[in-house]
Amino acid sequence: MSEGILLAKVARGTLLPAPERLARLEEALPQIRAALEGETDSVALQATLACLLWETLPQTNWCGFYRRIEERLLAVGPYQGGMGCLRIAFDKGVCGACAREARMQLVPDVHAFPGHIACDDATRSELVIPVLDDAGRLRAVFDLDSPHLDGFSLEEAEALSRLMNEVFQRGLRWD
Ligand code: SME
């Protein structure tokens, strides 16, 4: 039975200073890679990433995936946090914008993002990263919410983007 990942315990909702957050993520990455080693099922990878990144990123109140179930429709996948919206169309919200443009969305203040979908009123900032398969097709988006303004730095966003590419672009079985 794996122990998850070994990191200093930090209370849920804590916004550490940006350099400390990046150091914590970098400390977690080799453990996350080891935990996912050899896994080829996309849902098993999504569930484990949601769990381990929830532990790694205490500033979050939601951490999980929306999967592409139709050409322009997302449905919620594995996640940690309060109840998420079940379906999001490509023309809706931050997740829709990320899927539509296949481009990361780093939102320091969700109230300044036209059309932001508030699954949780406490959310103040958001980061959404496209999940592409090894043919470059968008298969899902990885969504992070925080109850803090500016809860995610560009460095965190870029490190998480690299991780998503590394994990999901290796000949996986998609549902
Ligand atoms: N806020 C997202 C919807 C999903 S919740 O954050 C879990 C959006 O605007 O797309």
Side-chain angles (χ1 to χ4, degrees):
M1 179 36 219
S2 76
E3 295 295 315
I5 46 177
L6 302 171
L7 287 173
K9 281 281 169 251
V10 175
R12 170 74 30 212
T14 305
L15 182 66
L16 296 168
E20 276 184 53
R21 297 198 313 261
L22 191 60
R24 185 177 169 83
L25 178 54
E26 283 163 357
E27 186 187 347
L29 286 174
Q31 300 182 59
I32 293 173
R33 290 189 184 101
L36 303 179
E37 184 66 35
E39 182 51 62
T40 59
D41 179 80
S42 64
V43 175
L45 291 165
Q46 291 170 36
T48 308
L49 277 169
C51 163
L52 299 182
L53 290 170
W54 175 252
E55 276 184 48
T56 304
L57 306 164
Q59 77 267 37
T60 55
N61 58 340
W62 206 89
C63 171
F65 293 85
Y66 280 88
R67 300 165 301 115
R68 188 182 201 168
I69 58 165
E70 287 169 18
E71 198 50 29
R72 298 184 65 74
L73 183 61
L74 300 165
V76 73
Y79 69 91
Q80 305 274 329
M83 185 179 160
C85 315
L86 272 68
R87 294 186 172 217
I88 300 175
F90 271 37
D91 60 358
K92 295 280 186 287
V94 185
C95 293
C98 178
R100 201 171 56 244
E101 301 165 19
R103 196 165 54 83
M104 176 170 65
Q105 307 287 317
L106 181 54
V107 182
D109 179 357
V110 293
H111 296 150
F113 189 99
H116 167 258
I117 304 166
C119 298
D120 179 342
D121 291 341
T123 296
R124 297 305 305 281
S125 59
E126 186 155 5
L127 168 62
V128 190
I129 296 170
V131 173
L132 309 179
D133 65 16
D134 41 15
R137 177 172 166 74
L138 184 119
R139 290 286 190 157
V141 298
F142 175 60
D143 182 23
L144 292 168
D145 293 347
S146 175
H148 299 277
L149 283 172
D150 225 354
F152 308 101
S153 68
L154 183 57
E155 292 76 15
E156 280 173 294
E158 289 170 344
L160 290 165
S161 290
R162 286 192 294 273
L163 178 65
M164 294 304 146
N165 291 340
E166 185 187 316
V167 169
F168 291 106
Q169 294 181 356
R170 50 185 184 164
L172 302 181
R173 241 193 343 269
W174 291 89
D175 53 349

